[in-house]
Amino acid sequence: MRRKSIGRHATTIVVAVLVLLAGCARGDDPAAPPPPPPPTDPALVQTATGAVRGVVAPDHRLFAGIPYAAPPVGPLRWQPPAPAPSWPGVRDATRTGPRCMQDASDLEMGRQTSEDCLSLNVWTPPPSEKKRAVMVWIHGGAFVNGSSGIYDSRWLASRGDVVVVTVNYRLGALGFLAHPSLGPPGAVGNYGLSDQQAALRWVHDNIANFGGDPDAVTIAGESAGGMSVCDHLVAPGSEGLFRAAIIQSGPCQAQLPLPEAQRASVDYARDAGCEDVRTVAACLRALPAEKLRKPVWYYRIGDDALSGPVTGTKVLPVDPMKEIADGRAAKVPVLIGTNHDEFTLFVALEYLRLKTPYTEAQYPQLLEETFGRDAAAVATHYPLARYGGSVPLAYSAAVTDGVFACPADRMTEGFAKTDSVYAYQFDDRGAPAPEALRTLPFPVGASHSLELRYLFDIGGAQPLDPDQRVLSDQMIDAWTQFVRDGHPGDDWPAFDAEEKRLSLRPGGSKVVTDFDQSRQCPFWAGLKE
């Protein structure tokens, strides 16, 4: 602290001396230029609602915990986000805000949660006269957990020379309950998605003061964040708020029509003690937030349940998968991809919960729970013998292809009808994983979310080895060039009739054209007919 203070005083003295010398040299010459203004404080930025003071490092700046909407509490619970109130003086922006309310079983140790959680974080390169392109990152977590504070974006900001904004949004029941008593027909649910739109409007109105270009915004996200990006590509309220999109491992087909969501929401309210149709809305809004940690479950993939956005509403009137397939999504460049072994993460988490592996006898049941009447056909195409008799690996391969890879393949074909699209598969099967995932009786490989460690400084796992560090640099360069220019570089061809994708792997990524065949997408397409 003393060193920084001395530096500021020295700068002030130098500026004062320069001004004095300039004045002496100028004398009474009326044509002489005025003295230069003193340097501005790079840690201080003005927003529409007040000034914020962040953290300045040699290669980046961070402004954390900035409110972009009013606290969604009391009468604002289950309402569209309201404008953030202004504040006097300078707001401390050196720490991320609390996580949005989520299931206590999913909380990280030491992480504060609150219903007052609608904040965002802005990561920038060092100040410059030029305006930088902007990436708005929407976190994953099945719409029931996670937060913006997990994603340390300094690599993207410093190496990639872009501004990165990471966003909190309402989760679980507080973000997506679609009870018909909460608003007019079609205006319930999707509060979390509306929060994301409010954050995008905040970026449009404020990001120039942080050195960002409001006309050069790319929306990006992984898992539930990727699903959110799909929604914004077809949502009326998101139109014009971005110029490109990045979808990482987003199972965008997992959307629920409003009538089904309303039925699930009525059941949820009844279980919470709010059943009288005359008072249910007031009853729900009067409940302590702690009583609303449990999500409202809309979808289930095997043992994994999801909350999330609802179609047929004012915010999301259409099914994004259908709009994308028909070429009616926003006409913007898209970067989209999945990981080679997506579902091993979920199987691993279930194994750690039960402390016992799946058995051969359970395989048909797992497939039936996940794929219903198609279970027998899936079992034929994913026989245990092909996976060394391993139920976790066979089951993971089937769900990875059917739920992640092949829907992404269909979306890629749809996006190619409207604009440039760049596709990838993350294929580092030795990607660093948390300790618990390294002690399983089966390998997790390139599992769901493990590519994030190559873009963000995320702890909790072994560091990248030298080859992985090179891949990380290549991915950061590609992602940020896409944010800047709408394409990820000369080595990454656009998806075309040959269905070219880049297989991202340490030791040298390569272009592949057999993705749909290797993931058995013709088989999965046949099941949809």
Side-chain angles (χ1 to χ4, degrees), residues 257-281:
L258 180 59
E260 295 180 47
Q262 287 182 324
R263 286 194 291 270
S265 298
V266 168
D267 292 342
Y268 183 94
R270 182 194 63 235
D271 293 344
C274 298
E275 189 170 6
D276 188 332
V277 294
R278 298 167 298 178
T279 61
V280 63

Side-chain angles (χ1 to χ4, degrees), residues 22-23 168-169 179 182 202 215 296 302 345 393 437 444 446 478 480 517:
N168 276 356
Y169 55 94
H179 198 289
L182 295 176
W202 184 96
D215 296 320
V296 51
L345 170 66
L393 293 182
L437 301 185
V444 296
T480 54
Q517 295 298 322

Side-chain angles (χ1 to χ4, degrees), residues 230-247:
C230 291
D231 296 339
H232 292 301
L233 286 165
V234 301
S238 305
E239 186 176 358
L241 295 175
F242 57 91
R243 69 170 188 181
I246 299 173
I247 303 169

Side-chain angles (χ1 to χ4, degrees), residues 35 45 83 105 212 215 224 238 296 439 443 452 488 521:
V45 171
S105 65
D215 296 320
S238 305
V296 51
T439 59
L452 296 175
C521 293

Side-chain angles (χ1 to χ4, degrees), residues 88-111:
V90 178
R91 183 185 182 94
D92 177 73
T94 60
R95 294 182 296 177
T96 58
R99 303 172 69 166
C100 290
M101 296 294 293
Q102 46 201 272
D103 191 342
S105 65
D106 293 320
L107 298 183
E108 296 178 15
M109 293 298 292
R111 295 274 188 174

Side-chain angles (χ1 to χ4, degrees), residues 262-432:
Q262 287 182 324
R263 286 194 291 270
S265 298
V266 168
D267 292 342
Y268 183 94
R270 182 194 63 235
D271 293 344
C274 298
E275 189 170 6
D276 188 332
V277 294
R278 298 167 298 178
T279 61
V280 63
C283 176
L284 286 167
R285 289 194 169 101
L287 288 175
E290 291 291 328
K291 298 288 187 181
L292 297 164
R293 285 193 185 276
K294 180 182 176 182
V296 51
W297 297 122
Y298 288 154
Y299 338 104
R300 185 168 290 277
I301 302 174
D303 294 307
D304 186 52
L306 299 173
S307 182
V310 179
T311 61
T313 63
K314 181 179 179 181
V315 175
L316 189 61
V318 294
D319 177 358
M321 285 295 289
K322 180 169 175 34
E323 297 298 292
I324 292 168
D326 293 343
R328 292 197 294 266
K331 293 176 173 56
V332 299
V334 174
L335 190 155
I336 181 172
T338 57
N339 295 356
H340 186 276
D341 307 295
E342 294 278 5
F343 205 67
T344 55
L345 170 66
F346 304 96
V347 173
L349 294 175
E350 187 67 5
Y351 172 84
L352 293 171
R353 185 180 71 85
L354 298 174
K355 305 299 183 185
T356 181
Y358 293 132
T359 65
E360 182 175 346
Q362 289 177 289
Y363 190 45
Q365 178 185 351
L366 288 169
L367 295 179
E368 185 175 356
E369 290 174 351
T370 307
F371 301 110
R373 64 183 182 181
D374 297 322
V378 174
T380 300
H381 278 77
Y382 294 83
L384 289 176
R386 182 186 300 161
Y387 303 93
S390 171
V391 175
L393 293 182
Y395 180 49
S396 294
V399 183
T400 294
D401 292 354
V403 175
F404 290 93
C406 295
D409 185 56
R410 295 198 303 274
M411 286 192 292
T412 303
E413 293 173 350
F415 289 132
K417 297 176 182 178
T418 59
D419 210 310
S420 300
V421 58
Y422 301 88
Y424 73 86
Q425 177 174 251
F426 177 75
D427 197 12
D428 181 4
R429 301 181 205 183

